[in-house]
């Protein structure tokens, strides 16, 4: 399940009458609480967020969960520098629920 699924269809668009454009609020990533079940890894050459999401969640679209759990990561690339320690939440459903709760009221 992607994080944008059904979002544009449930949120009302805001209209900018001066520019005659429609826009939507941006979505917010949740603050992912630490857990004793979290997995910690050291990155190696060629690691990417989407590949790690596939390895641990069998869903490459969950790359953003790993990114949200590690706020110190660069936000402009899926590639990771070798030697970094990453926290990977064991249960992606907890993060998905936090994400939905946080953005539902927007």
């Amino acid at each position: 399940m992607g994080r944008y699924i059904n979002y544009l269809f449930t949120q009302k668009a805001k209209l900018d009458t001066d520019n005659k454009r429609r826009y939507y609020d941006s979505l917010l990533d949740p603050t992912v609480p630490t857990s004793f079940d979290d997995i910690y890894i050291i990155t190696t050459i060629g690691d990417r967020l989407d590949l790690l999401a596939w390895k641990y969640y069998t869903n490459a679209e969950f790359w953003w969960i790993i990114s949200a759990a590690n706020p110190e990561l660069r936000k402009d690339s899926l590639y990771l520098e070798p030697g970094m320690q990453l926290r990977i939440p064991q249960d992606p459903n907890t993060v998905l629920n936090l994400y939905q709760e946080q953005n539902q009221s927007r």
Side-chain angles (χ1 to χ4, degrees), residues 67-81:
S67 179
N70 299 278
E72 69 280 358
L73 292 178
R74 293 176 46 188
K75 301 300 180 195
D76 62 349
S77 177
L78 292 175
Y79 287 92
L80 300 166
E81 293 183 26

Side-chain angles (χ1 to χ4, degrees), residues 2-45:
R3 61 181 167 165
Y4 298 115
I5 194 159
N6 296 329
Y7 180 72
L8 295 178
F9 302 110
T10 59
Q11 183 193 34
K12 291 186 176 182
K14 296 177 182 170
L15 298 176
D16 182 354
T17 54
D18 294 335
N19 295 326
K20 297 182 182 176
R21 294 186 179 185
R22 181 180 308 170
Y23 66 95
Y24 299 90
D25 286 336
S26 60
L27 298 174
L28 302 173
D29 285 341
T31 300
V32 181
T34 57
S35 170
F36 289 110
D37 295 333
D38 289 347
I39 300 166
Y40 289 87
I41 65 164
I42 302 296
T43 59
T44 58
I45 294 173

